[in-house]
Amino acid sequence: MYKSPCCRLTGFLGLRVKQKLVQIAPRCNQTARSLIYLHRRDPSNWLTYQHLNFLKRQYVTKNSSELHQRAIPKHDLNIVEERHAAVERQEERILAIDSELADVVPLSEDVNHETQPKNASIKPAAQSGAPLEGSASHLVTNKDEPPHVHVETEEARQARMDRQWKPLRVDVADLPDVYARLAKIKLTALVVTTAAAGFAMAPVPFDPLLFVVSSLGTGLASCAANSINQYFEVPFDSNMNRTKNRPLVRGQISPLHAVSFAVACGIPGVALLTLAVNPLTGFLGALNIFLYTCCYTPLKRLSIVNTWVGAVVGAIPPVMGWSAATGTLGPGALLLGSFLYCWQFPHFNALSWNLREDYSRGGYRMMSVTHPAMCKRVALRHSLGLIGLSTLAPVLDVTTWTFPVISLPINLYISYLAARFYRKGDRDSARKLFFCSLWHLPMLLLLALTCKKYSQGPEETASLTLTPPVK
């Protein structure tokens, strides 16, 4: 078969390389054996895999181009720093219980723990036989004594069992309390109250059945949003003292159970608002669930913008109440939403100020943690905004002119506390501002309800609402 010159050249080079390898193989074998022999003679001067593997756990020094290892020095647990010259240390003498240890003399109880010579310790015992016999009899009696057995008390056993991991079983009797904490029942009650205030402030006749249905749907939507919020924040709530006892953190219910509860509340709630009230209110309820779970919850660990998004979420319930009563979004709905929007900043900023350590451990980016000066400034600014909104209410024909006058004292008081919080910035001023905000909002809504202004007379509005138009 015909072969090209290139194939011949390749075969020639391969033959030459093979011959060279055969010639140097014995020398390579000898060199490898010499290296192994040198390593066995002095392995400390060689860099081995063990050096690299434990490099993080050992101190490594290099002197005169040679690598030496020095193990991490262990602390002597028997050495106690004597900060005062009068401090003396004593050690318990361990009694021998074996007859063969009868000749062993106890160690000296010198303060400096200096070991005395062996002959000096035996010599006093050899001078007289009586002490030796006495010590022997003492050791014999100690041999007959039973060893000390530690008996665990019932309280200590219970405390030890509480510290251990153990599966928690859900008791049916505990489910109402678990669901209440999962839904944040106090926050849900506040949401329903503000929605009810928006319904009552609407300039239409009061419909009790529609009021109950809209309040129930709003409460179910709030329960769903709070449950999903806790589902997402389990690893972060476990680091905070304020939230470490929540049901999902403690494992009282499974995550699937919590999500099922949220679905069982959210779908009927939105459906009730959409079908039994009106589509606009149902859309606002679904929007509020989305904003709270998908916008506000993740933003808490990303940016301080979460506070403004949370304020929008809190401002929607009174708008839902107004739209449930009227079916539209009028100026009164936006005004009530603005009241809730401004109120939340002094309320939440004062609350988060005393929880800065908790929010920091949980990884939440709050104004009180990252921008403390802005936190105080925003609280003061929105407290003053409540005065302007109260003045705007009669201009928009929502209340009479009596409302700005009678609401001025409580608005001035919360503004004063916000200014005090802005000036001092301590825990006491933040606590006073927070507790003032708790009664300020119900009082403000109640005053607005007493000064409610109808666009038309109640009898005329009722006749227009109940009597269908004649064609």
Side-chain angles (χ1 to χ4, degrees):
M1 184 172 59
Y2 177 76
K3 294 183 179 181
S4 64
C6 294
C7 294
R8 295 177 181 178
L9 181 61
T10 304
F12 177 75
L13 291 177
L15 180 63
R16 295 294 298 175
V17 169
K18 181 179 179 182
Q19 291 177 356
K20 286 292 184 181
L21 290 176
V22 170
Q23 293 176 1
I24 66 175
R27 285 184 291 173
C28 292
N29 190 15
Q30 182 180 2
T31 304
R33 289 181 179 179
S34 62
L35 291 175
I36 294 174
Y37 175 73
L38 291 175
H39 173 67
R40 289 178 177 177
R41 285 186 58 187
D42 192 7
S44 62
N45 292 331
W46 290 78
L47 181 62
T48 62
Y49 175 74
Q50 184 181 6
H51 290 72
L52 300 177
N53 193 25
F54 296 98
L55 193 61
K56 293 183 179 180
R57 285 177 283 177
Q58 291 177 330
Y59 295 111
V60 180
T61 58
K62 188 175 182 181
N63 296 324
S64 64
S65 300
E66 293 180 356
L67 189 65
H68 301 281
Q69 281 189 343
R70 179 169 58 88
I72 298 178
K74 296 182 178 179
H75 297 286
D76 191 2
L77 299 179
N78 295 327
I79 299 177
V80 180
E81 181 182 0
E82 295 183 359
R83 299 185 178 181
H84 197 273
V87 176
E88 295 184 358
R89 293 174 298 177
Q90 295 181 357
E91 295 182 356
E92 288 189 3
R93 181 179 301 173
I94 302 176
L95 300 176
I97 59 174
D98 197 337
S99 59
E100 296 179 1
L101 300 178
D103 296 331
V104 179
V105 179
L107 294 175
S108 175
E109 295 182 0
D110 188 25
V111 176
N112 296 325
H113 297 278
E114 296 178 359
T115 305
Q116 297 181 357
K118 187 175 181 180
N119 296 334
S121 61
I122 299 176
K123 184 177 179 180
Q127 291 179 357
S128 60
L132 185 59
E133 294 175 358
S135 61
S137 62
H138 177 67
L139 292 175
V140 171
T141 55
N142 289 338
K143 177 183 177 181
D144 297 336
E145 293 180 359
H148 176 68
V149 178
H150 176 69
V151 179
E152 187 178 21
T153 61
E154 185 63 27
E155 292 79 5
R157 179 181 177 279
Q158 187 65 28
R160 180 173 58 82
M161 294 300 294
D162 290 341
R163 291 193 298 267
Q164 294 179 356
W165 288 96
K166 55 182 180 295
L168 293 177
R169 296 181 180 179
V170 181
D171 191 2
V172 179
D174 296 336
L175 282 181
D177 179 64
V178 171
Y179 289 154
R181 288 187 287 135
L182 189 65
K184 301 180 183 177
I185 194 64
K186 294 181 180 179
L187 180 59
T188 299
L190 178 63
V191 170
V192 174
T193 301
T194 55
F199 188 96
M201 284 293 297
V204 293
F206 184 79
D207 187 351
L209 181 60
L210 189 62
F211 173 77
V212 172
V213 172
S214 62
S215 299
L216 179 61
T218 304
L220 290 174
S222 177
C223 291
N226 291 327
S227 302
I228 298 175
N229 169 262
Q230 292 190 42
Y231 169 77
F232 284 140
E233 294 184 342
V234 170
F236 311 101
D237 288 343
S238 61
N239 296 324
M240 301 172 60
N241 294 328
R242 188 173 66 94
T243 57
K244 65 182 180 181
N245 290 323
R246 285 179 174 175
L248 282 173
V249 177
R250 296 186 60 190
Q252 290 181 296
I253 57 174
S254 64
L256 179 60
H257 193 163
V259 173
S260 302
F261 173 75
V263 172
C265 292
I267 294 179
V270 175
L272 198 64
L273 292 175
T274 304
L275 302 177
V277 182
N278 53 62
L280 177 60
T281 308
F283 169 75
L284 290 175
L287 177 63
N288 218 17
I289 295 176
F290 172 78
L291 289 177
Y292 190 73
T293 57
C294 299
C295 298
Y296 171 70
T297 299
L299 276 175
K300 289 167 68 175
R301 295 181 296 277
L302 298 177
S303 172
I304 60 173
V305 181
N306 70 85
T307 308
W308 281 267
V309 176
V312 173
V313 172
I316 290 179
V319 179
M320 292 173 60
W322 184 285
S323 66
T326 61
T328 59
L329 295 179
L334 300 180
L335 178 66
L336 291 175
S338 301
F339 272 124
L340 266 294
Y341 180 85
C342 288
W343 171 84
Q344 286 179 90
F345 285 97
H347 170 76
F348 181 74
N349 288 10
L351 172 66
S352 64
W353 188 264
N354 291 336
L355 298 174
R356 286 177 292 176
E357 294 81 5
D358 256 8
Y359 283 123
S360 180
R361 281 194 298 268
Y364 295 125
R365 297 183 64 84
M366 299 297 176
M367 275 192 290
S368 58
V369 178
T370 59
H371 300 75
M374 181 187 294
C375 177
K376 298 182 291 183
R377 186 168 60 251
V378 169
L380 176 61
R381 182 188 308 156
H382 288 82
S383 298
L384 295 173
L386 292 172
I387 302 176
L389 290 174
S390 300
T391 309
L392 192 62
V395 177
L396 297 177
D397 242 6
V398 178
T399 64
T400 61
W401 283 98
T402 311
F403 174 67
V405 178
I406 62 176
S407 64
L408 185 60
I410 60 174
N411 288 334
L412 286 177
Y413 184 67
I414 194 173
S415 300
Y416 162 73
L417 293 179
R420 190 166 175 261
F421 170 63
Y422 173 76
R423 186 176 66 256
K424 293 186 176 181
D426 56 354
R427 291 182 175 271
D428 183 62
S429 59
R431 189 181 300 109
K432 289 183 178 180
L433 177 60
F434 171 72
F435 283 113
C436 174
S437 66
L438 293 180
W439 60 261
H440 175 272
L441 180 65
M443 182 66 68
L444 184 67
L445 295 177
L446 183 61
L447 293 176
L449 186 60
T450 57
C451 300
K452 173 183 173 181
K453 183 178 180 181
Y454 290 89
S455 299
Q456 298 173 339
E459 296 81 5
E460 183 182 356
T461 306
S463 62
L464 291 176
T465 305
L466 299 176
T467 305
V470 180
K471 295 183 180 180

